[in-house]
Amino acid sequence: MHTTTARAPGPPSIPYAHRAATVALTALAPASWGTTYVVTTELLPPGHPLFAGMLRALPGGLLALAITRVLPRGDWWWKAIVLGALNIGALYPLLFVTAERLPGGVAATLGAAQPLMVAGLAVALLHDRPTAWRLAWSVLGVVGVGLVVLGPQAGLDAVGVVAGLGGTAGMAAGIVLTKRWGLPAGVGPLTLTGWQLTAGGLLLLPLTVAIEGAPPSIDAGAAAGYLWLGSVGGLIASTLWFRGLGKLPVGASAPLVLLSPLVAAAIGIALGESLSLLQTLGFALALAALLAAQLNVPARGRPAEGPGIREDQPHDDEIREGRTR
């Protein structure tokens, strides 16, 4: 006779204030990534995307390992390498290639497509179908970002477009796999970040030497740029990001990447650029999409959650315990 084992209840509902704080902290990561374009074009020496990616990842990863003193165990060795390759090793250099070869607006719009890629991968890997609400707002978010940053002078370089889409797809896969695998017992976000930054940086090190050769000359401005990208835009931002991925539903965390192009646009305004009426409407639309994705609107036929919002989907508990649906 087959006996069904009762499933342990999921985490209790939490107040909106707690969730809002989690969203705000997680949002700091893509907000800091929005500075990458201006730092790359204004401070870093051109033509060294692999060196920039390696320097952004490896020092911070080694620092995190020194702080936590925890190494992967068992199958987490290969999982850390896979996540490090997707979230760091592929993303960072492709991001710098995109920033060098495309106008910031085109690059930002390519990155804004990430929530749609995450939604598609989540269906295959998490068995998590996005609601029509979040899917519609993801599309509107891309439209809003496009209205803000695309213009008649936006050039399309084939290498830059491929690099931008490749980096976006890699990070989308990294988000979904991070959500699927969760964290091993006793491991926090800083430890996971250290594993990934170190793995990604070590993957980039031999490629940097073989392809780019000697490192470029680094003046004071470049040193400040690398320091910012490696600390605030690297170790700190990644730790906050992976912390948020562990607490928020994937459909709510992925749209936060829209902040990256919006911050890039805001920096442009601060440097003297102005927005047309159409761009202003696009900015408002992108912000509305980002905020709307945080609302818990259930699909038809799916029960709504109570006044508190569950931070994790039901299957996340099973994933953390090593089970999949």
Side-chain angles (χ1 to χ4, degrees):
M1 178 178 178
H2 179 71
T3 303
T4 302
T5 303
R7 184 179 177 275
S13 296
I14 61 170
Y16 283 101
H18 188 178
R19 178 188 170 97
T22 299
V23 170
L25 283 175
T26 307
L28 290 177
S32 71
W33 297 334
T35 65
T36 299
Y37 302 108
V38 67
V39 170
T40 300
T41 56
E42 299 297 327
L43 297 177
L44 302 189
H48 292 82
L50 291 173
F51 178 78
M54 185 272 295
L55 205 58
R56 186 177 186 177
L58 190 54
L62 294 175
L63 177 60
L65 290 183
I67 293 173
T68 60
R69 299 184 180 182
V70 177
L71 293 177
R73 293 183 179 179
D75 60 359
W76 266 99
W77 280 104
W78 68 263
K79 288 180 179 179
I81 293 174
V82 170
L83 292 177
L86 292 172
N87 288 326
I88 309 299
L91 173 65
Y92 281 7
L94 290 176
L95 184 63
F96 287 114
V97 170
T98 305
E100 289 182 3
R101 301 185 70 100
L102 291 177
V106 178
T109 304
L110 294 175
Q114 186 184 104
L116 297 176
M117 295 183 180
V118 168
L121 290 171
V123 173
L125 297 178
L126 301 180
H127 307 289
D128 180 21
R129 291 183 302 168
T131 63
W133 172 269
R134 280 179 171 154
L135 194 58
W137 280 110
S138 294
V139 173
L140 291 175
V142 177
V143 173
V145 170
L147 291 176
V148 173
V149 297
L150 288 180
Q153 304 303 318
L156 294 178
D157 174 84
V159 174
V161 170
V162 171
L165 290 175
T168 300
M171 189 176 180
I175 289 174
V176 175
L177 287 177
T178 300
K179 195 67 178 175
R180 177 180 176 87
W181 291 335
L183 284 173
V187 170
L190 180 60
T191 301
L192 180 64
T193 299
W195 293 351
Q196 295 188 58
L197 288 174
T198 302
L202 289 176
L203 288 173
L204 288 174
L205 183 58
L207 292 176
T208 301
V209 175
I211 297 175
E212 294 183 356
S217 58
I218 299 176
D219 57 18
Y226 286 128
L227 181 61
W228 170 265
L229 293 175
S231 57
V232 176
L235 179 59
I236 296 173
S238 296
T239 301
L240 292 174
W241 181 247
F242 294 127
R243 174 186 179 274
L245 289 184
K247 292 179 175 293
L248 296 172
V250 67
S253 55
L256 293 177
V257 299
L258 294 175
L259 274 174
S260 181
L262 294 182
V263 167
I267 292 175
I269 295 173
L271 294 177
E273 299 178 7
S274 59
L275 294 182
S276 66
L277 177 60
L278 188 61
Q279 288 176 310
T280 302
L281 292 175
F283 202 106
L285 179 60
L287 279 179
L290 188 155
L291 295 173
Q294 307 309 314
L295 299 178
N296 179 46
V297 178
R300 182 175 297 180
R302 184 183 301 174
E305 295 169 3
I309 299 180
R310 286 270 303 278
E311 287 195 353
D312 291 296
Q313 299 296 325
H315 63 262
D316 289 342
D317 299 328
E318 297 174 338
I319 292 168
R320 288 195 181 94
E321 295 171 13
R323 302 191 299 273
T324 58
R325 283 181 182 266

